[in-house]
Amino acid sequence: MNFRRRNCLVGHHFAVYYKVGGLLLWLIIIGGCTERQLIRPTPQMDVSERFWVRVLLLDNVTGCTLTAPSPFGVINAQTRSTEARFGQPGARINVNVSVGGIAVGGQLVRSGEVIIFPDEPYIFNVNGNAYRGKLRLIMNADGRSFDAVNLVPLEAYLAGVVGAEMPNYWEPAALQAQAVAARTYCLYIKRHFGSKRTWDLRPTAAHQVYLGVRVESAQIWDAVDKTYGQVLVCNHPGGTEDIFPAYYSSTCGGHTENSKHVFGDSFEPLVGVACRYCKDVAKPKFFFWAMAQFDKGNVSAKLLRRYPKLKQLGAIRNISAVRQSNYEEFSRLTLVKLLGSTGKSDFLRAEDLRLTIDPTGNKVRSTICQIRSMGDKWAFLSGRGYGHGVGMCQCGAQGMAREGKKARQILLYYYPGSEIVRVY
Ligand SMILES: [Zn+2]
């Protein structure tokens, strides 16, 4: 069904229904108003479970609020019965942990797992953010909190990723390359990690940023649709061809990095390539970033909390580069040695050091930098690039697209030795 909505602040309106070739076109014609938003139907609601993505939206919460633009059902996942339906579009419904189950709008569902299933266009809103598909509420073992997981078909998921990972005014070829990389990465993470847990990916840069319906636009949907079902594959040991973790990051700084040195996995398309494209696209303050300083006591505390094996080191007294990738104009640190006050030392991947000290990555933007001791502070100097640097350089993809390169050329440049195939 095409679901076309016009928003209007003033004026008369009336609805006209046309039945055309089996498609119901719902036109709301409003005098004097311009069209602001096109609500797309949610594709693939009938696709195989293999192509649904489970995104951990809320982690260990005791409650949330729900609204939906259409009626929705509340299903007991254990008995598969619909225990309640809420029919008033837009009504705010509270969800809370309760004794023996989860209460939705005051109705207790005696189950460790509850599914919220909206009617067409299959959109719901949790804590103010709209997503497509369904919402699964999973009670934690202690019975005091739950996780909220968005079950969403892959193509609908991608619209909420591509729109979050790139500005929608970027070149169509860059957006399409982003869609293929994100589709491949998602399926790889789902297959390799999803079977061990109740969800596949987090909606953050820890995996890939997913913001749901609010980042969708005609340009973003166009990129998803034009690459429908396309993923990247490469040769794996044993001669099979299969997907690989198609990592990508914002701005490589001039050369992408070998995945082996950052994430520890080896795939032919992830060995690293020179990139002359991101420098003119990235904002100068992101391409060359300012010195960042951190209190030494805080750095020790953060590292020991995140990595208990480092406790034997005591306070961190020295941080030195052990391994780095050298390119023409710069080096990227990949492994550092930490020397502690007890005289013991240990090693840490530079990317892990960076994200432990600065989890947002907003100050220490990459490991293309030098680490110096400055009094009671650690300083990160001569910084360049943004992100881990493995796989496609997003600003570089935009730079290539501006030069007229197609999505396929961008992908095969940043993932050399890969091929594009369709999974459906
Ligand atoms: Zn680059």
Side-chain angles (χ1 to χ4, degrees), residues 29-50:
I29 299 167
I30 306 154
C33 283
T34 53
E35 185 173 279
R36 275 174 51 198
Q37 196 184 5
L38 190 67
I39 300 290
R40 295 260 309 218
T42 300
Q44 292 191 307
M45 286 299 289
D46 56 354
V47 80
S48 151
E49 191 117 313
R50 283 197 300 144

Side-chain angles (χ1 to χ4, degrees), residues 251-256 275 277-278 393 395-396 414:
T251 309
C252 76
H255 202 292
T256 67
C275 170
Y277 303 101
C278 54
C393 172
C395 284
Y414 287 109

